[in-house]
Amino acid sequence: MPMTTNRSLILFLMLESLALADGIELGTINVVESQETQSSEEVAYTTSHKVEALSKKSLGETLGDYLSNELGVDSATYGAAVGRPTVRGMEGYRVGIAQGGIMLNDLSAMSQDHAVGLNAKVVERIELIKGPASLLYGSYSGGVIRTLGEEHLATLPKEGLSLDGSFASNSNTGQGTGSFKGSYASELLALYLNYFNHQADSYSSGGEIVPNSDTSSEQLHGVVGWQVDPDFLVKFYADTLDKEYGVPNTTPQRTDILMEQQRYGVVLHNKNLWGLQNVITELQQSDYRHYEREDGRYDGLFDQQQVSLSSKFDVDFSEETQANFRIELISNELKVCHEHGECEEFSKGIRTGAIDGASLANYYNSTGIPYSHGHPMPDTQEQKIQAGMNLKHYYTQSDELSLAVSGVVRTLTPDSDNMQETWLMPVSIDPDYYNEETDSALSLSLGWWHSWSEVLTSQVSLSYLERLPSSQELLWNGFHHATESYILGNRDLDNEQSVNLDVDILYKHTDALSSNISFFYYDFENYIYQSPKVDSSNTPIIDPFHLSPVWEIRGVGATIYGLGIEENYAIEIGEHQLNMMAQFNLTKGELDESGYIPRMSPYNATLSLDHTVGAWNNNITYKWVDESRNEAENETHTEGYQLLNLSSTYQYTFNKSSFEVWVKGTNLTDEVARNHLSFLKETAPLQGRAVSFGVRYQY
């Protein structure tokens, strides 16, 4: 089934508009700094990065790839298409991903075979938010990753025309990436276009091709801006994403995923409104669709349609006391299909008058597990209101105190009409399984920033977080073809609760040398995770339909703690600028009932040397990843590995243009590296040796 998209029409209209700019005075490229951007000498709850800077160091094109060099951040990756960030040992629903003022509408937190619903290259900036500041967006123990597109910047592009195009090839996959970004702006109106295309054949590792590791991804993002008056700016945007990628599992037939997403919205920027400052209001409609195929059959289908409205604003109570507020309303409808060869479209389950759930009850009686081979969960509607406040008081010039609160109320309405009647949950097992329910959660956070001296700064936050279980954690009961695992949800899950302590210390030894130390300790009363299910003799239980392992959703007491250390040294020798970085990350997760949490990131260290002279920039990076040590029961062991990467870039500037050429070598020793965070570590090692060549033109 071909994927539909409006990108060709949008591309034609925007290019035509740019072409009509005849006779205008050409401007230079505009770079807009986010207000949250911090210098390298500060410790902050929010740090902001230019996407272009992250892309130069990235080993791939996923959001996880772009952030994996940050302290405490890893990527749950396999292949070129899938890579969701994990932060301080937190994964999935414990890490929020926002696009400006709206939480991302995709299913990447649900399962590791689901790609994040955006290409990192299409946004302008990426923020990492933790501590009290993160509670504006909800209760995420791993913090929030917030992407900012052109529509989220409170100014129009600089007047005139700007262009930015690049192309890169990859020796390992035989293909590469291409991108184009352009804008034209007058004093009051602006048109912006960002296009990205990523093509990759199946890659090799250790000299062998990894089957079904190919990907094809294309995204087009357009924005029209109107400066209504000096204090009021309106930006309309449209976005379409198509992604098709193989899943390198153990099935002899090809497993692949087709993903489509369209987003449309408007962002209103008000500098002052009714006494409020920096008011940003965003309305978005998003349609996400995701097919899962095996041997060309459409065996699975997800569709999630979401309408969101958010507003964020600041209030100055005095010179010493300010507050940030945010409120978001979400209406979400999720549909699910699982029926071999029958999921090109959705259909409702047949009702014959037979006893609902009779077949499922038979399996329940013989195994103790209510297996389902039909649709794995009911269609669900979700209505949610989330509000957050972050109050900041500057006690002295060297002290900032923060108090944040976040609350959410959700109504979840399951509709089992989509399910085959023999796989409905029988009333005899759970009479309330499909009932509508309204839940709530409340989270609090205290923060203290203090400057002890000109060379020593610290930041501490203590948070109590409550997270509502997702509809998938509550209601999913079925097979994931891509990860070859049977997931058994838990309708009786309580809210996930944790007390989180985060400590960050920056010590500036000299003007050239600084140390950043990050410590965290998270105590969970009800840590929700997927655990292999075993019988009384500790033997893994196997799904009788697919002969795959059964994973159950559990809520247990647990503790996750760790340490991150980063040393930075900068020196100038004549015309040569040298920047050296050394980083070490340690994360450990323990269950209160004894044992360890599965898929914790192994200990790892990174050494990097960046050299700039004139128009040249060169970088060498070495990363060491330890073997998996603190393994959960029945968890697969992963060997350690080492990665060596080199890059060199030359930039030539003339008039109002610049031309850039680069070459990058990754995994130059061709290590067979397996990501311990991945469900598919055995069949999907990381990419082997690759050399990339790229060019970029800016005007």
Side-chain angles (χ1 to χ4, degrees):
M1 169 178 282
M3 293 181 286
T4 60
T5 176
N6 294 322
R7 61 181 179 272
S8 298
L9 178 59
I10 298 175
L11 178 63
F12 172 77
L13 292 175
M14 291 188 170
L15 289 176
E16 183 181 41
S17 299
L18 290 174
L20 292 175
D22 184 29
I24 58 174
E25 182 178 353
L26 299 178
T28 59
I29 299 169
N30 183 37
V31 177
V32 181
E33 292 288 346
S34 171
Q35 290 182 345
E36 293 85 2
T37 302
Q38 306 293 330
S39 75
S40 59
E41 299 179 356
E42 293 183 89
V43 171
Y45 294 114
T46 300
T47 55
S48 181
H49 302 275
K50 293 180 181 179
V51 165
E52 289 302 332
L54 293 174
S55 69
K56 291 181 179 179
K57 298 181 180 180
S58 174
L59 300 184
E61 297 298 336
T62 68
L63 186 62
D65 292 329
Y66 273 46
L67 295 174
S68 60
N69 292 313
E70 299 301 304
L71 191 64
V73 181
D74 292 285
S75 179
T77 183
Y78 69 79
V82 178
R84 198 178 201 274
T86 67
V87 182
R88 298 188 172 192
M90 304 292 104
E91 64 175 357
Y93 295 107
R94 282 176 284 272
V95 177
I97 300 178
Q99 290 178 295
I102 302 293
M103 300 311 295
L104 185 65
N105 175 34
D106 68 3
L107 297 176
S108 62
M110 175 187 178
S111 175
Q112 286 198 351
D113 61 299
H114 297 177
V116 175
L118 64 86
N119 288 304
K121 195 68 177 279
V122 175
V123 301
E124 298 295 314
R125 305 194 74 94
I126 299 177
E127 295 180 344
L128 290 144
I129 309 174
K130 59 186 177 182
S134 70
L135 264 64
L136 288 176
Y137 300 89
S139 53
Y140 299 96
S141 51
V144 172
I145 296 169
R146 182 172 177 245
T147 65
L148 300 174
E150 162 62 27
E151 66 273 22
H152 302 119
L153 305 181
T155 59
L156 293 177
K158 191 172 182 178
E159 290 186 42
L161 179 68
S162 69
L163 300 173
D164 187 340
S166 65
F167 170 80
S169 63
N170 185 297
S171 65
N172 194 300
T173 66
Q175 299 195 47
T177 63
S179 67
F180 169 81
K181 181 167 62 176
S183 68
Y184 170 69
S186 64
E187 183 179 358
L188 300 179
L189 295 172
L191 180 65
Y192 170 93
L193 173 70
N194 197 330
Y195 172 77
F196 176 76
N197 189 302
H198 179 205
Q199 305 293 326
D201 293 332
S202 292
Y203 63 85
S204 65
S205 175
E208 297 184 1
I209 296 294
V210 178
N212 302 325
S213 59
D214 55 295
T215 184
S216 172
S217 182
E218 188 176 24
Q219 186 166 1
L220 177 64
H221 185 73
V223 182
V224 176
W226 175 29
Q227 189 76 55
V228 180
D229 61 46
D231 290 337
F232 182 36
L233 173 65
V234 181
K235 290 188 175 182
F236 301 91
Y237 65 88
D239 185 283
T240 178
L241 168 67
D242 287 339
K243 189 183 287 279
E244 178 178 348
Y245 57 95
V247 180
N249 55 27
T250 61
T251 56
Q253 299 84 15
R254 174 180 170 83
T255 300
D256 59 9
I257 288 176
L258 312 181
M259 193 177 89
E260 307 170 3
Q261 182 170 264
Q262 291 83 39
R263 297 185 302 120
Y264 306 93
V266 57
V267 184
L268 310 178
H269 297 267
N270 293 89
K271 293 182 181 179
N272 293 283
L273 181 65
W274 306 322
L276 308 177
Q277 288 81 48
N278 304 317
V279 182
I280 303 176
T281 302
E282 183 170 359
L283 175 65
Q284 181 189 106
Q285 191 277 330
S286 175
D287 186 0
Y288 171 94
R289 179 162 285 207
H290 169 127
Y291 297 92
E292 295 189 356
R293 301 190 305 181
E294 189 170 296
D295 198 23
R297 300 190 317 265
Y298 286 79
D299 292 344
L301 172 59
F302 300 83
D303 186 273
Q304 186 161 264
Q305 300 201 33
Q306 179 173 291
V307 177
S308 304
L309 174 65
S310 79
S311 186
K312 181 177 179 292
F313 54 89
D314 305 330
V315 177
D316 293 337
F317 295 106
S318 67
E319 290 186 2
E320 297 81 19
T321 306
Q322 294 91 37
N324 311 121
F325 295 87
R326 179 180 175 273
I327 186 169
E328 182 176 8
L329 306 175
I330 297 175
S331 178
N332 185 295
E333 182 179 9
L334 172 65
K335 294 183 178 181
V336 179
C337 173
H338 177 206
E339 192 171 358
H340 288 187
E342 301 295 331
C343 288
E344 293 189 37
E345 293 295 339
F346 293 102
S347 62
K348 291 193 174 183
I350 298 174
R351 296 291 182 264
T352 66
I355 299 174
D356 288 344
S359 175
L360 186 112
N362 290 335
Y363 275 99
Y364 181 81
N365 293 335
S366 61
T367 66
I369 299 174
Y371 286 107
S372 171
H373 191 260
H375 299 329
M377 66 178 288
D379 294 340
T380 58
Q381 291 189 353
E382 182 181 65
Q383 311 294 326
K384 184 164 65 176
I385 178 171
Q386 189 273 328
M389 179 202 71
N390 183 23
L391 180 67
K392 295 174 289 186
H393 178 72
Y394 300 93
Y395 188 71
T396 67
Q397 289 186 347
S398 59
D399 286 277
E400 177 188 310
L401 302 177
S402 299
L403 169 63
V405 59
S406 176
V408 61
V409 178
R410 179 189 69 186
T411 297
L412 196 65
T413 307
D415 182 1
S416 61
D417 284 350
N418 67 306
M419 302 186 70
Q420 301 94 328
E421 64 183 355
T422 53
W423 300 113
L424 289 172
M425 182 64 69
V427 174
S428 60
I429 298 178
D430 189 344
D432 301 321
Y433 195 83
Y434 299 113
N435 286 356
E436 177 182 293
E437 64 177 34
T438 298
D439 298 303
S440 62
L442 181 67
S443 301
L444 300 169
S445 182
L446 294 172
W448 176 39
W449 176 90
H450 180 69
S451 177
W452 300 90
S453 67
E454 292 184 357
V455 298
L456 180 62
T457 305
S458 67
Q459 177 179 277
V460 181
S461 66
L462 181 65
S463 307
Y464 167 75
L465 300 180
E466 274 192 335
R467 179 179 72 85
L468 294 174
S470 70
S471 60
Q472 293 85 15
E473 290 171 319
L474 292 168
L475 294 165
W476 185 274
N477 177 32
F479 187 64
H480 274 295
H481 277 273
T483 56
E484 297 181 281
S485 57
Y486 187 96
I487 309 299
L488 186 65
N490 186 346
R491 190 68 170 95
D492 299 320
L493 284 173
D494 294 324
N495 289 355
E496 184 175 82
Q497 302 171 40
S498 66
V499 176
N500 293 9
L501 174 66
D502 291 277
V503 180
D504 294 279
I505 299 172
L506 177 66
Y507 183 72
K508 189 177 179 182
H509 305 270
T510 66
D511 288 340
L513 177 63
S514 63
S515 300
N516 192 343
I517 303 173
S518 178
F519 169 78
F520 59 96
Y521 185 91
Y522 302 157
D523 185 15
F524 287 85
E525 181 177 332
N526 189 46
Y527 180 80
I528 299 174
Y529 77 112
Q530 294 181 17
S531 173
K533 190 170 180 61
V534 297
D535 60 20
S536 57
S537 62
N538 205 36
T539 301
I541 293 177
I542 302 300
D543 164 25
F545 296 106
H546 303 91
L547 303 180
S548 61
V550 175
W551 295 71
E552 61 179 336
I553 304 293
R554 303 180 63 205
V556 299
T559 303
I560 297 177
Y561 55 94
L563 176 70
I565 302 174
E566 183 172 292
E567 302 286 328
N568 287 281
Y569 181 68
I571 186 173
E572 291 186 9
I573 303 176
E575 297 181 353
H576 299 265
Q577 175 72 43
L578 298 175
N579 292 276
M580 288 161 275
M581 184 273 290
Q583 185 184 105
F584 175 74
N585 291 285
L586 181 153
T587 304
K588 193 173 183 179
E590 300 178 346
L591 301 174
D592 290 356
E593 61 189 25
S594 78
Y596 298 101
I597 296 174
R599 298 181 308 282
M600 284 284 106
S601 176
Y603 309 151
N604 62 84
T606 302
L607 296 174
S608 176
L609 172 62
D610 196 80
H611 167 240
T612 300
V613 56
W616 285 99
N617 177 262
N618 308 291
N619 180 273
I620 178 171
T621 299
Y622 166 80
K623 183 169 185 177
W624 167 82
V625 178
D626 193 18
E627 64 178 317
S628 58
R629 296 184 180 275
N630 307 308
E631 297 166 354
E633 201 167 5
N634 299 303
E635 184 177 14
T636 303
H637 179 75
T638 306
E639 296 295 333
Y641 59 89
Q642 303 171 66
L643 298 178
L644 178 64
N645 308 310
L646 292 169
S647 68
S648 183
T649 302
Y650 179 81
Q651 185 177 50
Y652 175 71
T653 302
F654 54 99
N655 296 328
K656 297 179 180 180
S657 301
S658 68
F659 186 75
E660 190 173 275
V661 181
W662 76 88
V663 62
K664 181 191 298 184
T666 57
N667 192 5
L668 292 176
T669 58
D670 205 22
E671 284 268 313
V672 178
R674 303 186 187 277
N675 185 359
H676 188 68
L677 300 180
S678 173
F679 276 89
L680 300 178
K681 60 177 74 68
E682 291 301 311
T683 56
L686 301 181
Q687 183 173 281
R689 181 188 297 115
V691 177
S692 300
F693 172 81
V695 294
R696 180 185 180 191
Y697 173 77
Q698 293 177 283
Y699 184 89

